Amino acid sequence: MSNPFAPHGGQPSPDPAPTPGSRSGEQSPFAAPAPSPSPGSQGWGAAPDTDLPVALPPGPTTATTGPWHFVSAAAVTAVLSIVLGLAAWLGSTATEPLWLTLSGLGWFTAGIVTFILLGLHIQADTKRQAAGLYVSNPTQTLLYRAALGVGAVGVLINAVEIALWFGKAYGG
């Protein structure tokens, strides 16, 4: 009984014909290679022909690190938010509109701008890690964590100041 899953319709493949000038069963080292079977005749589970050339990038491979511009800007905006919170506390009272303006700008700077910049940093850093040779920088990681912590403190300081203003302006 023949195998219905065999590549050549269940029939055993014939031995290759000997080339002229060779002994029986041997192939001449100068003979042309046997033709490869067409892709349709390889059968199930056979690997496709993948002799395609692979293009390598020109020049030497260089290592990259994470982007500095987003994490640096995030650190600056986090510190700015604390400065705005302190300016509101030192420069006015909780019943003045200047208090609310400085606290609102400080909260927006820390809560919105800083964390968006940190998110953009993570996105760009992940793309660089996936693109090729990547070397992490401990200073950049430290700056990221510092911006994250200072931004959280800035959000808390300014949120408390906004709550104090609303409590004094509209409280009984």
Side-chain angles (χ1 to χ4, degrees), residues 14-64:
D15 291 333
T19 57
S22 66
R23 291 182 238 148
S24 69
E26 285 187 36
Q27 189 170 3
S28 168
F30 303 109
S36 62
S38 65
S41 67
Q42 290 179 350
W44 293 97
D49 189 19
T50 57
D51 292 335
L52 301 175
V54 176
L56 297 175
T61 304
T62 57
T64 60

Side-chain angles (χ1 to χ4, degrees), residues 19-120:
T19 57
S22 66
R23 291 182 238 148
S24 69
E26 285 187 36
Q27 189 170 3
S28 168
F30 303 109
S36 62
S38 65
S41 67
Q42 290 179 350
W44 293 97
D49 189 19
T50 57
D51 292 335
L52 301 175
V54 176
L56 297 175
T61 304
T62 57
T64 60
T65 62
W68 281 95
H69 54 282
F70 289 128
V71 74
S72 301
V76 168
T77 57
V79 170
L80 179 64
S81 72
I82 289 186
V83 168
L84 287 170
L86 290 175
W89 185 64
L90 296 173
S92 61
T93 61
T95 56
E96 296 177 16
L98 180 62
W99 176 284
L100 180 64
T101 303
L102 291 174
S103 298
L105 284 173
W107 180 86
F108 180 78
T109 303
I112 306 296
V113 177
T114 298
F115 291 111
I116 286 177
L117 287 170
L118 288 175
L120 290 172

Side-chain angles (χ1 to χ4, degrees), residues 125-154:
D125 191 40
T126 304
K127 283 182 183 177
R128 287 188 183 186
Q129 288 177 15
L133 185 59
Y134 180 85
V135 177
S136 68
N137 189 336
T139 307
Q140 193 175 67
T141 304
L142 181 65
L143 185 61
Y144 171 81
R145 291 177 181 168
L148 189 65
V150 172
V153 169

